[in-house]
Amino acid sequence: MTTRKRPSAPHDEITVSKRLRLQHETARREPYTFDSCFSDELVVAIFSYLNYVELCTAQLVNGHWARLATDDQLWKRLFLQDYPSQRLRGSRGFSTRWSAEGGATGREIRPLPARLRVSGQVLWQPWKWMYRIGRNWQQGRCALESLADSGSSDRENTVSPEGYQHNDAPLVLLGGDLTFVASRHLSSSPRVTVHPPSDSPHHLMPSTSSRRDALTCITLDHSIPLEITPELAHTSLDVDFRLVAFLSSGSFSVFSIPPTAPRSYRETHRYTPISNQLDRTSSSELSVQHAAYSHPFLITLSASYTLSTWHISSSTSPLRLQTFQSFTSFPPSSLSLSHTASSYKLVVTYTTPVYPKHWGVAATEVNFTGQNADVRINDIRTDRAMSSITGWVDEEVRKGLVAEWSRKLSEVTAVDTDGKFVVIASNDNTLMLYRLYYKPSFRISFVRYLMGHSDGISATHVADGRCITEGKRGGLWVWDLESGRCVVVANPMEDNTGALKFERRRDKTALAFDDRKVVTCSDARLVKVWRFDV
């Protein structure tokens, strides 16, 4: 008699005890590792205690660690920790409150203005990339490029009209990937040259009624378009740039420039002074030297220190709303316009005479509210860096006056501000940093000297707590105004023996920068771009 074997149980019918025993034996054969013992969330929490060098080293271990070490929150924490005083992006313009880490820090930054939007790209860069750009700025690591020569500084050997004040320094602006360059020389066809990133340069031609005219100022709109809501602040939108070009005859044109097709620009507004106004007004009163634009309001400052407020409407020609005149302000000067939800704040910095033949810096704050074509001035406050005190003073006040008067300058070559800091440059390579305070009272206070250049200062630009200066022999310096730290991006020109060249460049230069690059332009039509997003 044969015995019949009992059929084995199918896999699904394995008893619970046997399944647990098999799993336990399998687990005992696998070694315990860091990855198998800890979840991804716990590993990221451990990585949060590492610095940027250690995070980069952790990415070389394996693919799993490389994925976790590039977590955006890790690099966000490092960026806010290592660069707490820097704004994330942008130049002068709209300011708001942005709360990092769910409202833990609440430091003030400026969101990306429309003029800095990059078409076809995600505007909000990964935090690791932003940290890398910040390190490049801190160490002066960049790549040098040259833009194509477009003949934008073509000049005519003609006699200047009466009252025209010629300035050799060209004009340069940045708008995302677009670079705008213009010459101040008199010409029968003044134009603004636009340099796209991957196309040949082309020209914007302002309308002019004069046989010979010259560009005196160009500015871009700094406002946040209505199409961009807080939910869309970090998305890619193709919003047209608004550029205003001013001519020495007093006329100006407003252009709308698509970022994806800058050749398809159109002139949306044009202002031309009436004939009887030209007869009564001198050329210095009409020639705009500085301008700030936050749509729909345009602020202009002429060579005779006439401050005007304009309203740019979509249906009518530009309308002048108010005009102010100053008789104690002198060039050089600078404008900074910021906009909150309910008001505008304009800061004008300029030089004032100091007895007997020296100069100091002063600032004026204008707060106003505006809706449509109605502007209301709320407050005007002014302060000078050099105090004027009469009568008898005590010893403490006397020491302060002595320190103030030791900072007077025999000649001022540049004054620039970003609304928080003021930098003043002199012909003896002196750079002085001042700070603007708005509460409880408006005042300008000396901070420190910025020591660096030995070859003369050719151009100065201040924005977002950062100052960049170019020397007359080509040296480029980047200053962090909060800490006073300086890095040399480009050394002055040298000869074959390594000694500094003694011949100085005769032409003045213009300088502009954003968070990614620095653009310098000389009157010899040489445009250089120093890129830090490498």
Side-chain angles (χ1 to χ4, degrees):
M1 182 176 178
T2 59
T3 60
R4 188 176 180 179
K5 292 184 178 180
R6 185 177 179 180
S8 58
H11 180 73
D12 295 339
E13 299 179 6
I14 297 178
T15 61
V16 175
S17 60
K18 185 177 181 180
R19 186 183 299 114
L20 293 176
R21 179 172 56 81
L22 292 175
Q23 292 178 354
H24 181 66
E25 291 177 354
T26 305
R28 284 191 304 174
R29 290 194 297 268
E30 294 180 357
Y32 290 102
T33 63
F34 188 88
D35 295 337
S36 62
C37 293
F38 300 102
S39 64
D40 290 354
E41 292 78 10
L42 190 56
V43 175
V44 171
I46 296 173
F47 282 177
S48 65
Y49 292 92
L50 305 181
N51 57 30
Y52 79 98
V53 176
E54 296 166 340
L55 277 179
C56 292
T57 305
Q59 297 179 44
L60 304 177
V61 175
N62 54 43
H64 182 63
W65 277 33
R67 178 177 62 85
L68 297 180
T70 55
D71 184 82
D72 219 32
Q73 294 300 316
L74 294 175
W75 293 97
K76 176 181 179 180
R77 180 191 62 84
L78 285 177
F79 184 90
L80 299 179
Q81 172 184 301
D82 293 354
Y83 307 106
S85 61
Q86 294 183 9
R87 294 180 173 90
L88 298 183
R89 188 137 182 192
S91 185
R92 307 173 193 171
F94 187 87
S95 62
T96 186
R97 273 293 183 189
W98 180 83
S99 181
E101 303 290 352
T105 59
R107 65 191 179 95
E108 184 175 345
I109 65 165
R110 291 168 181 164
L112 199 61
R115 68 184 185 85
L116 292 177
R117 294 187 172 274
V118 181
S119 175
Q121 298 182 12
V122 178
L123 298 180
W124 194 257
Q125 297 285 359
W127 289 94
K128 181 183 177 182
W129 183 248
M130 295 171 62
Y131 187 89
R132 179 188 178 104
I133 295 176
R135 292 290 301 179
N136 290 343
W137 277 103
Q138 194 176 58
Q139 299 176 1
R141 184 172 56 241
C142 60
L144 177 61
E145 302 174 358
S146 295
L147 299 182
D149 185 359
S150 61
S152 61
S153 61
D154 183 29
R155 74 177 75 181
E156 297 180 1
N157 295 323
T158 55
V159 180
S160 301
E162 183 180 357
Y164 173 69
Q165 298 180 0
H166 177 66
N167 190 340
D168 286 332
L171 303 168
V172 61
L173 284 178
L174 292 178
D177 280 345
L178 300 180
T179 302
F180 303 91
V181 180
S183 170
R184 295 179 188 258
H185 293 292
L186 286 166
S187 173
S188 58
S189 57
R191 55 193 180 269
V192 179
T193 304
V194 184
H195 293 270
S198 58
D199 195 2
S200 59
H202 65 279
H203 305 293
L204 306 178
M205 309 293 290
S207 301
T208 176
S209 57
S210 304
R211 288 191 304 108
R212 294 176 292 111
D213 218 334
L215 285 163
T216 59
C217 179
I218 56 176
T219 187
L220 283 167
D221 178 22
H222 294 186
S223 63
I224 299 295
L226 297 177
E227 305 94 309
I228 303 177
T229 61
E231 293 76 14
L232 300 176
H234 300 159
T235 60
S236 181
L237 294 177
D238 293 334
V239 181
D240 289 0
F241 300 143
R242 296 190 186 99
L243 181 140
V244 188
F246 299 88
L247 298 172
S248 58
S249 60
S251 61
F252 62 86
S253 300
V254 182
F255 297 95
S256 179
I257 307 170
T260 55
R263 292 182 182 272
S264 303
Y265 74 91
R266 55 192 177 91
E267 189 180 38
T268 59
H269 300 82
R270 179 190 177 191
Y271 171 80
T272 303
I274 56 179
S275 57
N276 59 353
Q277 183 181 3
L278 292 173
D279 298 336
R280 301 193 314 264
T281 310
S282 64
S283 176
S284 61
E285 294 181 21
L286 296 174
S287 176
V288 173
Q289 301 298 313
H290 301 279
Y293 184 21
S294 181
H295 188 78
F297 295 106
L298 173 67
I299 311 297
T300 61
L301 182 65
S302 69
S304 62
Y305 276 81
T306 301
L307 187 69
S308 302
T309 304
W310 302 79
H311 183 263
I312 309 294
S313 175
S314 58
S315 58
T316 60
S317 60
L319 176 65
R320 191 198 303 261
L321 301 179
Q322 289 182 335
T323 300
F324 301 92
Q325 186 78 38
S326 175
F327 300 98
T328 59
S329 305
F330 297 88
S333 55
S334 175
L335 292 181
S336 176
L337 179 64
S338 59
H339 174 216
T340 62
S342 58
S343 64
Y344 294 82
K345 180 174 68 176
L346 173 68
V347 177
V348 187
T349 55
Y350 45 89
T351 56
T352 56
V354 178
Y355 181 82
K357 54 180 181 178
H358 293 83
W359 300 92
V361 65
T364 297
E365 178 203 17
V366 181
N367 286 296
F368 66 94
T369 56
Q371 186 175 6
N372 297 328
D374 183 21
V375 172
R376 177 181 178 183
I377 304 297
N378 299 326
D379 192 15
I380 299 179
R381 301 185 293 179
T382 300
D383 189 37
R384 298 177 54 185
M386 300 293 173
S387 302
S388 178
I389 300 178
T390 59
W392 302 89
V393 297
D394 57 19
E395 183 64 18
E396 183 177 355
V397 175
R398 186 194 68 83
K399 291 181 180 180
L401 291 175
V402 171
E404 285 183 4
W405 282 75
S406 65
R407 294 190 286 267
K408 61 180 184 287
L409 301 172
S410 59
E411 182 180 352
V412 178
T413 58
V415 173
D416 203 2
T417 182
D418 62 352
K420 181 179 181 180
F421 293 100
V422 180
V423 174
I424 180 171
S426 68
N427 58 345
D428 59 355
N429 303 326
T430 300
L431 281 172
M432 289 190 292
L433 175 64
Y434 289 84
R435 175 79 178 267
L436 294 173
Y437 295 93
Y438 298 93
K439 295 180 180 180
S441 60
F442 179 73
R443 61 188 178 92
I444 180 171
S445 178
F446 176 77
V447 179
R448 63 172 66 92
Y449 285 95
L450 302 177
M451 309 301 295
H453 282 283
S454 59
D455 57 338
I457 299 173
S458 177
T460 304
H461 187 51
V462 179
D464 294 328
R466 182 178 287 156
C467 175
I468 299 183
T469 58
E470 184 181 18
K472 292 185 177 180
R473 297 193 188 102
L476 196 66
W477 295 61
V478 178
W479 307 82
D480 182 358
L481 300 181
E482 289 280 359
S483 62
R485 187 187 301 113
C486 174
V487 61
V488 180
V489 176
N491 290 312
M493 295 183 293
E494 299 178 350
D495 57 18
N496 296 331
T497 63
L500 289 177
K501 291 184 177 180
F502 287 97
E503 63 272 18
R504 296 191 174 186
R505 298 191 308 191
R506 295 180 180 179
D507 54 341
K508 296 182 180 179
T509 59
L511 187 152
F513 69 91
D514 58 16
D515 70 318
R516 297 176 297 153
K517 58 183 177 291
V518 179
V519 176
T520 60
C521 176
S522 68
D523 194 54
R525 297 180 296 184
L526 177 62
V527 181
K528 294 182 178 180
V529 181
W530 313 79
R531 302 193 65 92
F532 290 83
D533 53 349
V534 294

